[in-house]
């Protein structure tokens, strides 16, 4: 049994935070453990909601796969505020776990997917046009409770309304966005940034294929399977990512990692889908040297105090 209260012979101890469904971490996250061990840094996979854990016994607490927080977001944020040396920091977690941050970034001039917000109890009808739309909650992880609706289809229009009502009845804010067709051809590009000596540095990029094939069935799932491939980021994508990161409240100097998800907009220019600063998959298994770079980023944070 792991002792969460005692240091391991003076080695720095790092908690890699996960959830009950992934007690040994997501397979991609496991790749950082060997390069950390090579640096003399001990790691443990620990559930964020395990009441037996003494979080003060760790030199750093790294959020990795606590993907069950969406329906317990207030509890998760409150927990993060109690944890010493958690990364990314608790105030970033509070800001980033509610996707209404997209409205702030849009107001700051970051190109984002146009989004309508539906508050719980607010009446909503599908838009009059007949394009495709995405409906999802403002607090979610891993494309949970997310559906794609073709509003030219009367059945889809009914299902879209039912989806919004289901989220509203659960007290959840709903996001309604036009579906950007480029995701079916160009795919979504995720740019990964990791901490370096002078702040966040670009590490690598991947392509995610289309995930949404139709309406949300209303069946809970921790995450949806993704088609992932390595990708070379373009200068335009890098510039868009940096612009989004520049708008993060409090700056990026405190961050261990960031993932910027982009899709080509109607004019072909990259637009922000999400800025993932809480528990993003980092896809370190898809780029040479990425596990070592993440280990270096963690070592950099350990050395700050």
């Amino acid at each position: 049994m792991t002792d969460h209260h005692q240091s391991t012979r003076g080695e720095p101890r790092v908690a890699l935070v996960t959830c009950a469904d992934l007690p040994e971490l997501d397979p991609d996250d496991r790749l950082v453990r060997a390069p950390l061990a090579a640096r003399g840094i001990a790691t443990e996979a620990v559930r964020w909601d395990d009441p037996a854990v003494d979080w003060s016994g760790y030199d750093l607490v790294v959020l990795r796969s606590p993907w069950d927080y969406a329906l317990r977001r207030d509890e998760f944020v409150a927990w993060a505020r109690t944890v010493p040396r958690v990364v990314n920091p608790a105030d970033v977690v509070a800001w980033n776990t509610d996707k209404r941050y997209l409205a702030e970034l849009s107001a700051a001039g970051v190109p984002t997917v146009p989004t309508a917000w539906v508050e719980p109890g607010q009446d909503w009808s599908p838009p009059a046009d007949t394009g495709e739309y995405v409906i999802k909650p403002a607090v979610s992880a891993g494309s949970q409770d997310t559906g794609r609706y073709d509003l030219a289809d009367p059945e889809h229009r009914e299902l879209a309304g039912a989806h919004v009502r289901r989220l509203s009845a659960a007290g959840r804010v709903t996001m309604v966005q036009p579906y950007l067709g480029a995701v079916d051809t160009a795919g979504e590009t995720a740019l990964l940034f990791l901490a370096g000596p002078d702040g966040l540095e670009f590490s690598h990029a991947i392509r995610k294929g289309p995930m949404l094939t139709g309406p949300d069935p209303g069946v809970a799932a921790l995450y949806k399977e993704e088609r992932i491939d390595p990708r070379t980021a373009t200068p335009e994508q890098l510039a868009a990512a940096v612009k989004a990161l520049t708008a993060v409240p409090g700056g990026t100097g405190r961050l261990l990692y960031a993932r910027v998800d982009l899709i080509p907009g109607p004019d072909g220019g990259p637009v922000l889908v999400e800025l993932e600063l809480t528990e993003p998959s980092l896809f370190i298994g898809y780029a040479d040297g990425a596990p070592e770079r993440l280990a270096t980023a963690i070592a950099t944070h350990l050395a700050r105090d």
Side-chain angles (χ1 to χ4, degrees), residues 15 20 99 121 139 233 280:
K99 293 181 177 62
V139 178

Side-chain angles (χ1 to χ4, degrees), residues 1-44:
M1 180 176 178
T2 300
D3 185 342
H4 297 298
H5 301 275
Q6 308 241 344
S7 293
T8 308
R9 298 182 182 177
E11 291 179 325
R13 297 177 68 229
V14 173
L16 301 175
V17 179
T18 186
C19 61
D21 288 322
L22 293 165
E24 299 302 322
L25 301 169
D26 180 72
D28 190 70
D29 287 326
R30 296 174 204 157
L31 300 176
V32 77
R33 303 189 78 169
L36 283 172
R39 290 165 170 77
I41 299 169
T43 59
E44 297 174 25

Side-chain angles (χ1 to χ4, degrees), residues 203-255:
S203 171
H204 59 286
I206 57 94
R207 176 191 184 273
K208 294 196 286 182
M211 296 174 57
L212 301 178
T213 57
D216 175 58
V219 178
L222 187 63
Y223 57 87
K224 296 181 179 179
E225 293 296 327
E226 299 176 308
R227 167 68 188 271
I228 307 297
D229 297 291
R231 168 165 276 180
T232 299
T234 67
E236 292 79 14
Q237 289 169 335
L238 283 166
V242 169
K243 187 170 186 177
L245 290 168
T246 300
V248 173
T252 60
R254 303 175 299 150
L255 303 183

Side-chain angles (χ1 to χ4, degrees), residues 156-231:
H156 275 223
R157 294 183 73 86
E158 290 185 14
L159 290 171
H163 190 168
V164 173
R165 290 192 296 273
R166 184 167 66 248
L167 294 175
S168 180
R172 305 174 77 183
V173 175
T174 300
M175 306 169 59
V176 181
Q177 298 175 318
Y179 185 80
L180 298 183
V183 74
D184 293 329
T185 52
E188 182 176 325
T189 301
L191 286 79
L192 288 305
F193 293 78
L194 300 172
D198 300 316
L200 284 182
E201 299 176 356
F202 175 69
S203 171
H204 59 286
I206 57 94
R207 176 191 184 273
K208 294 196 286 182
M211 296 174 57
L212 301 178
T213 57
D216 175 58
V219 178
L222 187 63
Y223 57 87
K224 296 181 179 179
E225 293 296 327
E226 299 176 308
R227 167 68 188 271
I228 307 297
D229 297 291
R231 168 165 276 180

Side-chain angles (χ1 to χ4, degrees), residues 35-182:
L36 283 172
R39 290 165 170 77
I41 299 169
T43 59
E44 297 174 25
V46 192
R47 280 176 28 220
W48 72 271
D49 58 353
D50 183 347
V53 177
D54 176 8
W55 298 101
S56 66
Y58 294 100
D59 298 286
L60 194 66
V61 176
V62 179
L63 298 175
R64 289 312 318 124
S65 49
W67 294 335
D68 60 354
Y69 78 85
L71 297 179
R72 304 160 61 190
R73 185 253 180 180
D74 290 347
E75 179 185 350
F76 181 68
V77 171
W79 163 81
R81 294 191 190 280
T82 70
V83 178
R85 302 211 66 193
V86 64
V87 285
N88 284 330
D91 62 304
V92 173
V93 170
W95 180 76
N96 189 241
T97 49
D98 187 328
K99 293 181 177 62
R100 283 178 284 188
Y101 70 78
L102 288 170
E104 296 182 34
L105 296 182
S106 178
V110 177
T112 62
V113 179
T115 305
W117 308 91
V118 185
E119 299 289 334
Q122 181 181 343
D123 289 336
W124 180 83
S125 297
D129 65 52
T130 56
E132 288 191 283
Y133 281 81
V134 173
I135 293 175
K136 59 186 175 181
V139 178
S140 67
S143 296
Q144 298 174 51
D145 303 303
T146 300
R148 172 180 172 181
Y149 299 89
D150 181 355
L151 298 186
D153 182 332
E155 182 181 2
H156 275 223
R157 294 183 73 86
E158 290 185 14
L159 290 171
H163 190 168
V164 173
R165 290 192 296 273
R166 184 167 66 248
L167 294 175
S168 180
R172 305 174 77 183
V173 175
T174 300
M175 306 169 59
V176 181
Q177 298 175 318
Y179 185 80
L180 298 183

